[in-house]
Amino acid sequence: MKVRLALPILMLLIVFSMVAPLSAQDAPVPPAVGARPDAPTYALHGPYWVGTQTIEVGAGTDEAHRFVIWYPALNPEGLEESVVYTMSESHILRFMLPETEPFTVLGHALQDAVPDLSGGPYPLVINSHGFTAQMWQVYLGEHLASYGFVVIATEHANDSWDNPYTGTAIRMLEVKRAIVDAETLTAEGAALAGMIDVERIAMSGHSSGGMTVYGAAGAPVDWTGAEEYCAAVPDDPTCTDLEKQHQEFIEVLGTTVGADGLLPVVWDDRIDAIIPMAGSTELHGERGLPAITVPMMALFGTNDPAAPWMYPAYEFVGSALKAQVLFENGGHGLFYNQCDAFDYILKYDLFWGCSDAVWDIARAQDVSNYFITAFLLDVLKGDVDAHAALSPDAVSFPGIIYKAEGF
């Protein structure tokens, strides 16, 4: 009798062992596609589905702020990643479009999807948008989430044409606030409990966001650099009432100018890596940039009007691990969303907001996604293959000038 009972049990165990792998294989996986059919490896959609939420903290108070978050998500039904984001009313484009025009961006994520805890907690990436240009890098947040990162894109609502440099000081504090928000979100019982590793953090940013990156990573401010920049480019709106902005900068950060003339910044030493994209360095220069010792990857176009103030990043940062990715003849808008993300702007002759004079934006996105993803997989996850892919001997893209140390 015991033998007769054992046989059915054995058969059930065999069946279960066969069914389990089949179930895993049948689970829908994201299609491995990039912005173009010829996308390189790390530009292809990663193994995770992408969820997104728009969160407002302190609504109705003076401390109110909003951010978009992307994260690895569950998608048991294999739904198409499709979402509509709403841009801020303070966005630069808002003043160039009729009020009746929907002010949205089309993206590739699942709104309010259930978080995928299988690989958590995930490293955090904080993205700082360009001047008044919230939601102009939707594609990057979505892409990084597909590779197992949580990305927070905070809205810098205090950007102002009256005092752009002052806004940079405020942005540095908002980066710290984003880290606090992440701690709250990942706490037990919170919306993204167990999802975010706040001890592994990188920061990326485009344009003014790139400038924010340097200060957030610990570079002290050398105001003489701003003065020299404004002497060279006096018509730049950034240079409005420079001395007043200097005083406001000090007041915002709550610090004083040291004997060496440098203005210390407020930063979080948990920031482990930085990715400035078209980020100008005049606020820090050769005296402030050496204080940055975390790994850095700087990306920009050689035809960007501010390119002369971007090269010093690679030259002067004190990082043992650093890389520079130059897009030959590329301009400032290399890192914008593609036109099909908000094609209504084409009706109003605003093609510049989703294009580059030389580079196909889809190609630029694939290439930048490749470099940024490999860099973050290396420095935040210890991926040896990603590290090897960033060796100067391994990099070969038409139109890209690449150099690196430590890879």
Side-chain angles (χ1 to χ4, degrees), residues 226-241 309:
E227 294 171 339
E228 292 170 359
Y229 172 82
C230 290
V233 193
D235 295 332
D236 190 324
T238 303
C239 300
T240 303
D241 204 343
W309 290 274

Side-chain angles (χ1 to χ4, degrees), residues 32-40 44 360 362-363 366:
V33 297
R36 297 200 336 177
D38 60 351
L44 300 174
D360 170 37
R363 179 59 174 173
D366 277 341

